[in-house]
Amino acid sequence: MPGDYIGSQVAVRADSELVKIYHRGQLIKTHPRMRPGTRSTDASDLPEHKSAYALRDITHLIGLCAGHGENIGIYAERILDDPLPWTRMRAVYRLIGLVRQYGPAAVEAACAKALDLDVIAVGKIDSMLAKAVENIPALMPVAVAAGTARFARDPSEYAAAAAGPAAAGRSAGAGTTLASAGTGGAASAGTGLANAGIALANAGTAIATTRAGLANEGTGAAASSGTGGEIGVGAGPRYGRGVQLHLVFSHAETPEQARETQTAQEDAR
């Protein structure tokens, strides 16, 4: 219906092809009969400021933004560059709202800066305008030459003025002294720790050697006492067969003790 009839009571008559609208008996609008889920809208019936949104007229919306500034129009076109542009129309209307709030000149400068940085977001435009930084030149990223390390210094930073032989000698001497002081202390401390570790290792080896010597002495003593003696039998033939014999191990005797023992055994027999 035309906007002038908002709030009025009308009569509608429909047949298989047309829908007719009457106001106080006068025919004021005719529409073709549409399939369910579709609609028929006459653009002339819509308010001028809402027709582009209601009809999803993208071209009209871009032209409206371009009327405020060239960069504003380009920015609106970038926003609507989408497979479903009508889903982003609200962002363009927000951009138009910023024009009314801050003025076309400020929004034009902010859009130009955002386009230079390739930032397409109305929120960024709003932030720049709120901070009043739209006229500050943007810092463009510096291109890095191919093959250059990320944190490498420029070769010009290493350039130094020519110095005389004496100055060069003093600089070299000072550098050598600092290098000696830096490396000597650390190297001496490290060498001392290494020597202490070697001494501890040697002490452990000596302890192990001592233990091995004690073990050998114990083994030798046991072998000498167990195998160096003689065997004496404490039972004679008169006790008969089957008698349990006790073997007595003794240490080696001197020749005199051996003779005395043999005499004692003969007397016993």
Side-chain angles (χ1 to χ4, degrees):
M1 289 287 297
D4 298 337
Y5 292 94
I6 294 177
S8 302
Q9 186 174 359
V10 296
V12 180
R13 178 179 293 180
D15 55 28
S16 60
E17 294 185 358
L18 297 176
V19 176
K20 299 179 180 180
I21 304 173
Y22 298 86
H23 179 255
R24 296 181 180 180
Q26 298 293 326
L27 179 64
I28 59 174
K29 200 67 185 179
T30 302
H31 288 282
R33 186 74 178 260
M34 305 298 293
R35 299 189 309 273
T38 60
R39 65 178 62 187
S40 172
T41 302
D42 188 355
S44 61
D45 294 337
L46 298 172
E48 183 179 357
H49 63 283
K50 292 186 178 180
S51 61
Y53 184 79
L55 298 176
R56 297 178 177 177
D57 190 352
I58 305 300
T59 304
H60 179 270
L61 191 58
I62 293 174
L64 183 61
C65 292
H68 297 294
E70 181 182 0
N71 290 313
I72 299 176
I74 297 174
Y75 204 80
E77 189 175 359
R78 291 287 303 275
I79 293 174
L80 296 173
D81 186 13
D82 190 83
L84 302 175
W86 54 86
T87 61
R88 309 189 68 179
M89 291 177 64
R90 288 183 180 272
V92 179
Y93 278 105
R94 183 183 177 187
L95 183 64
I96 296 174
L98 293 176
V99 173
R100 291 194 296 267
Q101 182 179 357
Y102 295 100
V107 178
E108 174 74 7
C111 288
K113 184 176 180 180
L115 289 172
D116 290 339
L117 297 174
D118 197 21
V119 176
I120 307 301
V122 181
K124 297 295 184 181
I125 302 294
D126 191 1
S127 177
M128 282 192 289
L129 294 171
K131 298 177 181 178
V133 296
E134 66 275 3
N135 292 318
I136 299 177
L139 297 177
M140 303 301 293
V142 180
V144 180
T148 303
R150 181 180 180 186
F151 298 105
R153 293 185 178 181
D154 190 86
S156 61
E157 296 184 17
Y158 297 98
R170 287 195 298 270
S171 299
T176 304
T177 303
L178 290 175
S180 300
T183 57
S188 299
T191 305
L193 292 175
N195 292 336
I198 294 172
L200 291 175
N202 292 336
T205 304
I207 292 173
T209 304
T210 303
R211 290 182 176 177
L214 293 174
N216 292 333
E217 290 179 4
T219 304
S224 299
S225 62
T227 60
E230 298 178 355
I231 300 176
V233 180
R238 61 181 180 178
Y239 291 99
R241 296 180 180 180
V243 178
Q244 185 177 3
L245 301 179
H246 297 277
L247 302 180
V248 180
F249 294 89
S250 62
H251 293 285
E253 298 177 345
T254 60
E256 293 79 4
Q257 292 176 345
R259 285 193 295 270
E260 292 178 359
T261 302
Q262 184 177 4
T263 303
Q265 291 176 353
E266 291 176 355
D267 293 341
R269 286 194 295 269

